[in-house]
Amino acid sequence: SPVTAEALASAIDRAEAESRPALVIEIDTPGGLESSMREMVTHMLAARVPLVTWVAPSGARAASAGVFVTMAGDVAAMAPGTNIGAATPVNLQGGMDSTLARKVTNDAAAFARTVAHQRGRNAVWAEQAVRQAVAASETEALALHVVDVIAPSLDSLLAAADGRDWARNGVRRPLRLRGLPYDDMAPSPRQRLLGWIVDPNIAYLLMLLGFYGLLFELQNPGSVLPGVVGGIALVLAFLALSALPVNAAGIALICLALVFFLAEIKVASHGVLAAGGILAMLLGSLILYRGAGIQLSWSVMGGAIVGTTVFFLLVIGAGLRARRWRVRTGWRGMVGRRAQVVQRLTPSGTVWLDGTTWNARSESDAEVDVGSEVIVMAVDGLTLRVRPV
Protein backbone atom coordinates (compact mmCIF):
# COMPACT_ATOMS: atom_id res chain seq x y z
CA SER A 1 0.00 0.00 0.00
CA PRO A 2 1.15 3.65 -0.10
CA VAL A 3 1.93 3.32 3.63
CA THR A 4 4.22 0.35 3.00
CA ALA A 5 5.93 2.24 0.18
CA GLU A 6 6.49 5.21 2.51
CA ALA A 7 7.88 2.97 5.26
CA LEU A 8 10.28 1.26 2.84
CA ALA A 9 11.48 4.57 1.40
CA SER A 10 12.16 5.85 4.95
CA ALA A 11 14.07 2.68 5.80
CA ILE A 12 16.25 2.95 2.67
CA ASP A 13 16.94 6.64 3.37
CA ARG A 14 17.98 5.84 6.94
CA ALA A 15 20.21 2.95 5.86
CA GLU A 16 21.91 5.22 3.31
CA ALA A 17 22.30 8.10 5.77
CA GLU A 18 23.86 5.78 8.39
CA SER A 19 26.06 3.97 5.80
CA ARG A 20 24.71 0.60 6.87
CA PRO A 21 26.31 -2.46 5.20
CA ALA A 22 22.86 -3.78 4.20
CA LEU A 23 19.12 -3.46 4.65
CA VAL A 24 17.07 -6.64 5.13
CA ILE A 25 13.42 -6.44 4.02
CA GLU A 26 11.22 -9.11 5.57
CA ILE A 27 8.25 -9.92 3.32
CA ASP A 28 4.89 -11.56 4.03
CA THR A 29 2.18 -10.23 1.72
CA PRO A 30 -0.78 -11.38 -0.40
CA GLY A 31 -0.02 -8.52 -2.82
CA GLY A 32 -1.19 -4.95 -3.13
CA LEU A 33 -1.52 -1.90 -5.31
CA GLU A 34 0.47 -1.84 -8.55
CA SER A 35 1.35 1.83 -8.11
CA SER A 36 2.73 1.25 -4.61
CA MET A 37 4.69 -1.80 -5.79
CA ARG A 38 6.33 0.19 -8.60
CA GLU A 39 7.23 2.96 -6.18
CA MET A 40 8.83 0.43 -3.82
CA VAL A 41 10.78 -1.33 -6.59
CA THR A 42 11.96 2.01 -7.99
CA HIS A 43 13.40 2.96 -4.59
CA MET A 44 15.01 -0.46 -4.26
CA LEU A 45 16.67 -0.43 -7.67
CA ALA A 46 18.10 3.04 -7.00
CA ALA A 47 19.20 2.34 -3.40
CA ARG A 48 22.86 3.04 -2.60
CA VAL A 49 22.97 0.26 0.00
CA PRO A 50 22.65 -3.48 -0.71
CA LEU A 51 19.16 -4.88 -0.11
CA VAL A 52 18.41 -8.39 1.11
CA THR A 53 14.79 -9.48 0.60
CA TRP A 54 13.61 -12.35 2.80
CA VAL A 55 10.21 -14.07 2.62
CA ALA A 56 9.71 -15.03 6.26
CA PRO A 57 8.73 -16.44 8.71
CA SER A 58 7.64 -19.99 7.86
CA GLY A 59 4.15 -19.88 6.40
CA ALA A 60 4.69 -16.45 4.84
CA ARG A 61 4.25 -15.71 1.15
CA ALA A 62 5.32 -13.22 -1.46
CA ALA A 63 2.32 -13.23 -3.76
CA SER A 64 1.31 -10.88 -6.55
CA ALA A 65 3.12 -7.55 -6.00
CA GLY A 66 5.35 -9.29 -3.44
CA VAL A 67 7.02 -11.19 -6.31
CA PHE A 68 8.40 -7.95 -7.76
CA VAL A 69 9.60 -6.67 -4.37
CA THR A 70 11.33 -9.96 -3.57
CA MET A 71 13.14 -10.13 -6.91
CA ALA A 72 14.27 -6.49 -6.58
CA GLY A 73 16.65 -7.41 -3.75
CA ASP A 74 20.39 -7.80 -4.38
CA VAL A 75 20.07 -11.07 -2.47
CA ALA A 76 16.67 -12.78 -2.39
CA ALA A 77 15.94 -15.41 0.24
CA MET A 78 13.03 -17.49 1.53
CA ALA A 79 12.45 -19.24 4.83
CA PRO A 80 11.44 -22.92 4.85
CA GLY A 81 7.69 -23.39 4.39
CA THR A 82 7.12 -20.22 2.32
CA ASN A 83 5.99 -19.64 -1.26
CA ILE A 84 6.23 -17.04 -4.01
CA GLY A 85 4.31 -16.32 -7.23
CA ALA A 86 0.85 -15.70 -8.71
CA ALA A 87 1.52 -12.13 -9.88
CA THR A 88 -1.28 -11.74 -12.42
CA PRO A 89 -2.77 -8.20 -12.18
CA VAL A 90 -6.39 -7.84 -11.07
CA ASN A 91 -8.75 -4.88 -11.06
CA LEU A 92 -10.13 -3.74 -7.68
CA GLN A 93 -13.41 -2.76 -9.35
CA GLY A 94 -14.02 -6.17 -10.88
CA GLY A 95 -13.31 -7.71 -14.26
CA MET A 96 -11.48 -6.06 -17.13
CA ASP A 97 -12.31 -6.26 -20.83
CA SER A 98 -9.93 -8.25 -23.01
CA THR A 99 -8.06 -5.24 -24.40
CA LEU A 100 -7.45 -3.67 -20.99
CA ALA A 101 -6.48 -7.04 -19.49
CA ARG A 102 -3.88 -7.57 -22.23
CA LYS A 103 -2.45 -4.08 -21.77
CA VAL A 104 -2.17 -4.42 -18.00
CA THR A 105 -0.73 -7.96 -18.17
CA ASN A 106 1.81 -7.09 -20.88
CA ASP A 107 2.94 -4.06 -18.91
CA ALA A 108 3.35 -6.09 -15.69
CA ALA A 109 5.17 -8.89 -17.56
CA ALA A 110 7.62 -6.42 -19.09
CA PHE A 111 8.29 -4.90 -15.67
CA ALA A 112 8.84 -8.37 -14.15
CA ARG A 113 11.40 -9.18 -16.87
CA THR A 114 13.14 -5.85 -16.26
CA VAL A 115 13.46 -6.44 -12.51
CA ALA A 116 14.64 -10.04 -13.05
CA HIS A 117 17.29 -8.99 -15.58
CA GLN A 118 18.41 -6.14 -13.33
CA ARG A 119 19.14 -8.57 -10.50
CA GLY A 120 20.26 -11.52 -12.67
CA ARG A 121 17.29 -13.78 -11.92
CA ASN A 122 15.01 -16.08 -13.92
CA ALA A 123 13.13 -13.68 -16.21
CA VAL A 124 11.19 -16.51 -17.89
CA TRP A 125 9.66 -17.63 -14.59
CA ALA A 126 9.00 -14.01 -13.60
CA GLU A 127 6.97 -13.53 -16.78
CA GLN A 128 5.09 -16.81 -16.22
CA ALA A 129 4.19 -15.64 -12.69
CA VAL A 130 2.46 -12.66 -14.32
CA ARG A 131 0.91 -14.28 -17.39
CA GLN A 132 0.06 -17.74 -16.01
CA ALA A 133 -0.07 -17.00 -12.25
CA VAL A 134 2.47 -19.75 -11.51
CA ALA A 135 3.81 -20.08 -7.96
CA ALA A 136 6.70 -21.94 -6.34
CA SER A 137 7.75 -23.22 -2.93
CA GLU A 138 11.06 -22.14 -1.44
CA THR A 139 12.92 -25.19 -2.80
CA GLU A 140 11.39 -24.80 -6.26
CA ALA A 141 12.20 -21.09 -6.27
CA LEU A 142 15.82 -21.84 -5.38
CA ALA A 143 16.10 -24.46 -8.14
CA LEU A 144 14.53 -22.06 -10.66
CA HIS A 145 16.95 -19.30 -9.65
CA VAL A 146 14.10 -17.06 -8.51
CA VAL A 147 15.78 -16.64 -5.11
CA ASP A 148 19.38 -17.15 -4.04
CA VAL A 149 19.26 -18.85 -0.64
CA ILE A 150 16.97 -20.56 1.86
CA ALA A 151 17.42 -19.22 5.39
CA PRO A 152 15.34 -20.15 8.46
CA SER A 153 16.64 -17.28 10.62
CA LEU A 154 18.11 -13.81 10.26
CA ASP A 155 21.56 -14.94 11.47
CA SER A 156 21.62 -17.77 8.92
CA LEU A 157 20.46 -15.32 6.26
CA LEU A 158 23.36 -12.93 6.99
CA ALA A 159 25.80 -15.85 6.93
CA ALA A 160 24.42 -17.15 3.61
CA ALA A 161 24.51 -13.67 2.03
CA ASP A 162 28.10 -13.06 3.18
CA GLY A 163 30.53 -12.96 0.27
CA ARG A 164 27.87 -12.54 -2.42
CA ASP A 165 28.30 -9.68 -4.84
CA TRP A 166 26.00 -6.70 -5.27
CA ALA A 167 26.27 -4.16 -8.10
CA ARG A 168 25.43 -0.50 -8.61
CA ASN A 169 26.26 1.54 -11.70
CA GLY A 170 28.40 -1.27 -13.08
CA VAL A 171 30.53 -1.58 -9.95
CA ARG A 172 30.45 -4.93 -8.09
CA ARG A 173 31.27 -5.29 -4.42
CA PRO A 174 31.16 -8.26 -2.02
CA LEU A 175 28.81 -8.30 0.96
CA ARG A 176 30.37 -8.65 4.42
CA LEU A 177 27.48 -9.49 6.74
CA ARG A 178 28.39 -12.63 8.71
CA GLY A 179 28.03 -12.12 12.45
CA LEU A 180 27.15 -8.42 12.25
CA PRO A 181 24.71 -6.93 14.82
CA TYR A 182 21.44 -5.60 13.47
CA ASP A 183 18.71 -3.13 14.40
CA ASP A 184 14.98 -3.57 13.84
CA MET A 185 13.22 -0.69 12.08
CA ALA A 186 9.56 -0.81 13.11
CA PRO A 187 6.96 1.37 11.35
CA SER A 188 6.10 4.63 13.10
CA PRO A 189 2.81 4.94 15.06
CA ARG A 190 1.42 7.04 12.19
CA GLN A 191 2.30 4.34 9.66
CA ARG A 192 0.75 1.63 11.83
CA LEU A 193 -2.47 3.64 12.15
CA LEU A 194 -2.51 4.33 8.42
CA GLY A 195 -2.00 0.65 7.77
CA TRP A 196 -5.50 0.02 9.14
CA ILE A 197 -7.36 2.83 7.37
CA VAL A 198 -5.41 3.46 4.16
CA ASP A 199 -7.72 1.25 2.09
CA PRO A 200 -9.33 3.54 -0.54
CA ASN A 201 -12.83 2.29 0.27
CA ILE A 202 -12.40 2.74 4.05
CA ALA A 203 -11.00 6.27 3.60
CA TYR A 204 -13.98 7.12 1.37
CA LEU A 205 -16.53 5.80 3.87
CA LEU A 206 -14.80 7.57 6.77
CA MET A 207 -14.98 10.85 4.86
CA LEU A 208 -18.72 10.45 4.20
CA LEU A 209 -19.35 9.42 7.83
CA GLY A 210 -17.51 12.52 8.98
CA PHE A 211 -19.58 14.78 6.75
CA TYR A 212 -22.83 13.12 7.92
CA GLY A 213 -21.92 13.48 11.59
CA LEU A 214 -21.02 17.17 11.33
CA LEU A 215 -24.10 17.99 9.26
CA PHE A 216 -26.36 16.20 11.74
CA GLU A 217 -24.74 18.12 14.61
CA LEU A 218 -25.25 21.43 12.79
CA GLN A 219 -28.90 20.58 12.15
CA ASN A 220 -29.42 19.46 15.77
CA PRO A 221 -27.09 21.52 18.01
CA GLY A 222 -26.40 19.86 21.32
CA SER A 223 -26.63 16.28 20.07
CA VAL A 224 -22.86 16.02 20.77
CA LEU A 225 -22.38 12.35 19.78
CA PRO A 226 -22.82 12.85 16.00
CA GLY A 227 -20.42 15.78 16.08
CA VAL A 228 -17.80 13.83 18.06
CA VAL A 229 -18.03 10.75 15.82
CA GLY A 230 -18.12 12.86 12.67
CA GLY A 231 -15.11 14.93 13.70
CA ILE A 232 -13.00 11.86 14.54
CA ALA A 233 -14.05 10.09 11.32
CA LEU A 234 -13.23 13.16 9.23
CA VAL A 235 -9.75 13.54 10.78
CA LEU A 236 -9.03 9.82 10.21
CA ALA A 237 -10.28 10.15 6.63
CA PHE A 238 -7.99 13.08 5.90
CA LEU A 239 -5.09 11.19 7.52
CA ALA A 240 -5.75 8.21 5.22
CA LEU A 241 -6.24 10.45 2.17
CA SER A 242 -2.87 12.09 2.89
CA ALA A 243 -1.23 8.73 2.12
CA LEU A 244 -3.27 8.14 -1.04
CA PRO A 245 -3.00 9.91 -4.40
CA VAL A 246 -6.14 12.03 -4.05
CA ASN A 247 -7.67 14.35 -6.64
CA ALA A 248 -8.79 17.58 -4.94
CA ALA A 249 -11.54 18.01 -7.54
CA GLY A 250 -13.08 14.72 -6.38
CA ILE A 251 -13.34 15.92 -2.77
CA ALA A 252 -14.75 19.27 -3.97
CA LEU A 253 -17.45 17.50 -6.03
CA ILE A 254 -18.46 15.29 -3.07
CA CYS A 255 -18.75 18.36 -0.82
CA LEU A 256 -20.76 20.13 -3.53
CA ALA A 257 -23.09 17.12 -3.72
CA LEU A 258 -23.82 17.39 0.01
CA VAL A 259 -24.56 21.10 -0.41
CA PHE A 260 -26.99 20.29 -3.24
CA PHE A 261 -28.78 17.69 -1.11
CA LEU A 262 -29.18 20.16 1.76
CA ALA A 263 -30.44 22.83 -0.63
CA GLU A 264 -32.97 20.40 -2.12
CA ILE A 265 -34.55 20.02 1.32
CA LYS A 266 -34.92 23.77 1.82
CA VAL A 267 -35.57 24.95 -1.77
CA ALA A 268 -38.36 23.80 -4.08
CA SER A 269 -36.24 22.85 -7.12
CA HIS A 270 -38.53 20.00 -8.26
CA GLY A 271 -35.66 17.51 -8.01
CA VAL A 272 -33.06 19.48 -9.99
CA LEU A 273 -30.77 19.98 -7.00
CA ALA A 274 -31.12 16.33 -5.96
CA ALA A 275 -30.20 15.18 -9.48
CA GLY A 276 -27.23 17.55 -9.44
CA GLY A 277 -26.17 16.16 -6.06
CA ILE A 278 -26.30 12.56 -7.34
CA LEU A 279 -24.30 13.48 -10.46
CA ALA A 280 -21.72 15.47 -8.48
CA MET A 281 -21.27 12.65 -5.97
CA LEU A 282 -20.91 10.06 -8.73
CA LEU A 283 -18.31 12.11 -10.61
CA GLY A 284 -16.46 12.99 -7.40
CA SER A 285 -16.31 9.33 -6.37
CA LEU A 286 -15.02 8.27 -9.80
CA ILE A 287 -12.16 10.78 -9.88
CA LEU A 288 -11.39 10.84 -6.14
CA TYR A 289 -8.24 8.73 -6.58
CA ARG A 290 -5.78 9.19 -9.42
CA GLY A 291 -3.21 6.42 -8.81
CA ALA A 292 -2.98 3.38 -11.05
CA GLY A 293 -4.97 0.55 -9.47
CA ILE A 294 -6.37 2.76 -6.67
CA GLN A 295 -10.10 2.88 -7.31
CA LEU A 296 -13.31 2.66 -5.36
CA SER A 297 -15.34 -0.50 -5.41
CA TRP A 298 -18.51 -0.08 -7.48
CA SER A 299 -20.57 -1.65 -4.69
CA VAL A 300 -19.17 0.79 -2.09
CA MET A 301 -19.65 3.75 -4.43
CA GLY A 302 -23.21 2.76 -5.38
CA GLY A 303 -24.20 2.03 -1.79
CA ALA A 304 -22.83 5.38 -0.60
CA ILE A 305 -24.61 7.36 -3.31
CA VAL A 306 -27.96 5.60 -2.81
CA GLY A 307 -27.66 5.79 0.98
CA THR A 308 -26.80 9.50 0.89
CA THR A 309 -29.69 10.26 -1.47
CA VAL A 310 -32.20 8.40 0.70
CA PHE A 311 -30.78 9.91 3.89
CA PHE A 312 -31.05 13.52 2.75
CA LEU A 313 -34.29 13.31 0.80
CA LEU A 314 -36.24 11.14 3.23
CA VAL A 315 -34.79 11.28 6.75
CA ILE A 316 -33.59 14.88 6.97
CA GLY A 317 -36.48 16.03 4.76
CA ALA A 318 -39.00 14.47 7.11
CA GLY A 319 -37.28 16.06 10.11
CA LEU A 320 -37.31 19.51 8.57
CA ARG A 321 -40.96 19.16 7.54
CA ALA A 322 -41.81 18.21 11.12
CA ARG A 323 -40.24 21.46 12.30
CA ARG A 324 -42.78 23.37 10.18
CA TRP A 325 -45.74 21.73 11.90
CA ARG A 326 -47.94 23.80 14.18
CA VAL A 327 -46.64 24.06 17.77
CA ARG A 328 -48.88 22.11 20.13
CA THR A 329 -47.36 22.85 23.55
CA GLY A 330 -46.65 25.96 25.64
CA TRP A 331 -48.19 29.37 25.02
CA ARG A 332 -47.50 29.07 21.28
CA GLY A 333 -49.70 25.98 21.19
CA MET A 334 -52.67 28.08 22.42
CA VAL A 335 -52.62 30.41 19.41
CA GLY A 336 -55.35 29.43 16.95
CA ARG A 337 -57.28 27.40 19.51
CA ARG A 338 -61.01 27.97 20.17
CA ALA A 339 -62.31 29.01 23.60
CA GLN A 340 -65.75 29.74 25.06
CA VAL A 341 -66.67 33.02 26.72
CA VAL A 342 -67.77 32.50 30.34
CA GLN A 343 -67.79 36.19 31.35
CA ARG A 344 -68.91 38.80 28.82
CA LEU A 345 -65.99 40.54 27.08
CA THR A 346 -66.47 44.34 27.41
CA PRO A 347 -63.83 44.16 25.91
CA SER A 348 -62.19 42.28 28.82
CA GLY A 349 -63.60 39.18 30.51
CA THR A 350 -62.85 35.49 30.92
CA VAL A 351 -62.91 32.46 28.64
CA TRP A 352 -62.84 28.71 29.18
CA LEU A 353 -59.96 26.80 27.46
CA ASP A 354 -58.64 23.28 28.18
CA GLY A 355 -60.43 23.07 31.52
CA THR A 356 -59.05 26.40 32.75
CA THR A 357 -60.49 29.89 33.06
CA TRP A 358 -58.33 32.54 31.38
CA ASN A 359 -58.44 36.30 31.38
CA ALA A 360 -59.22 37.45 27.86
CA ARG A 361 -59.52 40.65 25.88
CA SER A 362 -61.28 41.22 22.58
CA GLU A 363 -58.76 42.37 19.95
CA SER A 364 -61.23 44.69 18.21
CA ASP A 365 -62.57 45.99 21.55
CA ALA A 366 -65.93 44.63 20.44
CA GLU A 367 -68.20 43.14 23.11
CA VAL A 368 -68.69 39.34 23.02
CA ASP A 369 -71.60 37.63 24.77
CA VAL A 370 -71.35 34.68 27.18
CA GLY A 371 -71.40 31.32 25.40
CA SER A 372 -69.84 32.65 22.21
CA GLU A 373 -66.79 30.98 20.67
CA VAL A 374 -63.63 32.96 20.18
CA ILE A 375 -60.24 32.21 18.58
CA VAL A 376 -57.01 32.89 20.49
CA MET A 377 -54.93 35.28 18.38
CA ALA A 378 -52.05 35.90 20.80
CA VAL A 379 -50.97 35.46 24.41
CA ASP A 380 -49.98 38.52 26.40
CA GLY A 381 -48.67 37.29 29.77
CA LEU A 382 -51.67 35.62 31.42
CA THR A 383 -54.22 37.33 29.16
CA LEU A 384 -55.46 35.89 25.90
CA ARG A 385 -56.15 38.22 22.99
CA VAL A 386 -59.15 36.81 21.12
CA ARG A 387 -61.59 37.56 18.35
CA PRO A 388 -65.06 36.11 17.69
CA VAL A 389 -65.26 33.02 15.47
Side-chain angles (χ1 to χ4, degrees):
S1 71
V3 180
T4 315
E6 178 188 310
L8 179 61
S10 299
I12 293 175
D13 291 342
R14 177 182 164 187
E16 291 176 345
E18 298 177 357
S19 299
R20 296 282 180 152
L23 176 68
V24 178
I25 304 170
E26 187 175 340
I27 299 169
D28 180 12
T29 177
L33 298 174
E34 185 263 354
S35 57
S36 300
M37 176 273 293
R38 284 184 179 266
E39 182 181 348
M40 296 170 74
V41 172
T42 299
H43 277 97
M44 294 174 69
L45 296 179
R48 298 192 301 273
V49 294
L51 304 177
V52 180
T53 51
W54 182 37
V55 183
S58 295
R61 56 178 169 166
S64 191
V67 175
F68 297 82
V69 177
T70 303
M71 292 195 305
D74 295 285
V75 176
M78 297 176 67
T82 56
N83 62 279
I84 185 173
T88 303
V90 296
N91 186 3
L92 290 178
Q93 286 188 318
M96 296 180 284
D97 60 58
S98 57
T99 302
L100 179 59
R102 284 198 307 273
K103 290 175 62 177
V104 173
T105 302
N106 289 338
D107 181 60
F111 190 57
R113 292 196 304 269
T114 297
V115 175
H117 283 306
Q118 190 80 7
R119 294 295 188 242
R121 298 204 166 84
N122 190 337
V124 175
W125 183 91
E127 183 170 358
Q128 289 176 343
V130 174
R131 296 190 182 278
Q132 302 171 25
V134 299
S137 65
E138 78 282 3
T139 54
E140 293 169 339
L142 182 63
L144 291 168
H145 193 45
V146 176
V147 297
D148 305 309
V149 297
I150 297 176
S153 66
L154 184 54
D155 289 324
S156 64
L157 172 64
L158 298 181
D162 187 71
R164 291 181 174 271
D165 289 339
W166 67 286
R168 289 293 186 277
N169 302 320
V171 180
R172 304 190 69 84
R173 305 178 184 87
L175 288 170
R176 294 290 180 259
L177 305 178
R178 185 186 298 271
L180 291 181
Y182 46 83
D183 296 327
D184 288 328
M185 299 172 66
S188 66
R190 172 181 173 274
Q191 290 167 345
R192 287 196 294 270
L193 175 60
L194 280 174
W196 290 96
I197 62 175
V198 77
D199 181 271
N201 295 306
I202 294 178
Y204 176 73
L205 293 175
L206 281 173
M207 180 176 64
L208 292 183
L209 179 63
F211 285 141
Y212 295 158
L214 293 182
L215 287 174
F216 189 86
E217 181 67 30
L218 292 174
Q219 290 289 331
N220 302 271
S223 300
V224 181
L225 180 61
V228 171
V229 173
I232 294 174
L234 205 56
V235 170
L236 290 177
F238 286 144
L239 180 62
L241 293 174
S242 69
L244 293 167
V246 176
N247 191 337
I251 296 180
L253 281 170
I254 293 174
C255 293
L256 186 62
L258 298 177
V259 172
F260 284 161
F261 285 129
L262 282 175
E264 174 65 30
I265 296 171
K266 299 177 179 294
V267 178
S269 70
H270 306 289
V272 175
L273 287 172
I278 294 172
L279 180 61
M281 193 165 189
L282 175 61
L283 293 175
S285 302
L286 287 173
I287 68 172
L288 180 60
Y289 301 111
R290 49 186 172 83
I294 303 181
Q295 295 174 316
L296 284 174
S297 166
W298 284 110
S299 58
V300 172
M301 190 189 310
I305 293 173
V306 172
T308 301
T309 303
V310 172
F311 177 77
F312 276 100
L313 298 188
L314 296 184
V315 178
I316 292 185
L320 291 178
R321 285 193 298 271
R323 292 176 62 180
R324 293 194 292 267
W325 291 348
R326 179 178 175 275
V327 179
R328 299 181 182 276
T329 58
W331 67 267
R332 291 185 180 87
M334 301 175 68
V335 176
R337 300 283 302 281
R338 294 194 176 196
Q340 188 174 29
V341 178
V342 294
Q343 180 183 351
R344 180 181 173 87
L345 303 182
T346 60
S348 297
T350 58
V351 297
W352 182 261
L353 176 63
D354 290 339
T356 305
T357 300
W358 290 84
N359 294 325
R361 181 181 178 85
S362 176
E363 272 201 328
S364 60
D365 291 337
E367 296 185 359
V368 183
D369 293 331
V370 174
S372 300
E373 281 194 328
V374 292
I375 295 178
V376 178
M377 304 303 298
V379 179
D380 185 10
L382 296 178
T383 301
L384 309 181
R385 297 209 312 268
V386 299
R387 67 171 175 83
V389 175

